[in-house]
Amino acid sequence: MMDMEWFPVVFFTFKVVALSIGMFFAVKWHYDQGKKHPDRKKEMRAVMGTGARVAVLFVLLVVILGFVTYLLATKLGLDLRLP
């Protein structure tokens, strides 16, 4: 069992490095694409507005889900007190 203690360290380090490199190149590519078309301000405004609406909807749905979960848990008699 002691031989596998290194695996999580190596795996998560590799995962963080690989995802960081991928994110860097994704941001760089999108930045370069934006420089090619500087006249897209109206389109960008629409995309940002839609993104904000989706984010608000997501937060609202998470709050509703938490509330429904709480109601269901109390109805089933689960102990929800913190230790």
Side-chain angles (χ1 to χ4, degrees):
M1 191 75 171
M2 301 293 276
D3 295 333
M4 293 299 289
E5 289 182 4
W6 58 269
F7 181 76
V9 175
V10 173
F11 177 73
F12 288 119
T13 303
F14 174 76
K15 185 176 181 179
V16 167
V17 169
L19 289 175
S20 298
I21 291 171
M23 287 172 41
F24 169 77
F25 283 113
V27 169
K28 182 180 181 312
W29 183 83
H30 282 89
Y31 179 77
D32 292 342
Q33 293 298 316
K35 288 197 143 245
K36 288 183 183 178
H37 307 285
D39 57 339
R40 292 188 176 184
K41 284 188 179 185
K42 188 174 182 181
E43 181 182 344
M44 181 64 75
R45 182 179 291 255
V47 169
M48 293 299 286
T50 303
R53 285 187 206 106
V54 169
V56 168
L57 179 66
F58 176 76
V59 169
L60 182 65
L61 288 175
V62 166
V63 169
I64 291 171
L65 178 64
F67 184 68
V68 169
T69 303
Y70 175 77
L71 289 178
L72 181 64
T74 54
K75 185 172 180 124
L76 292 174
L78 297 176
D79 185 18
L80 300 176
R81 290 179 289 167
L82 293 175

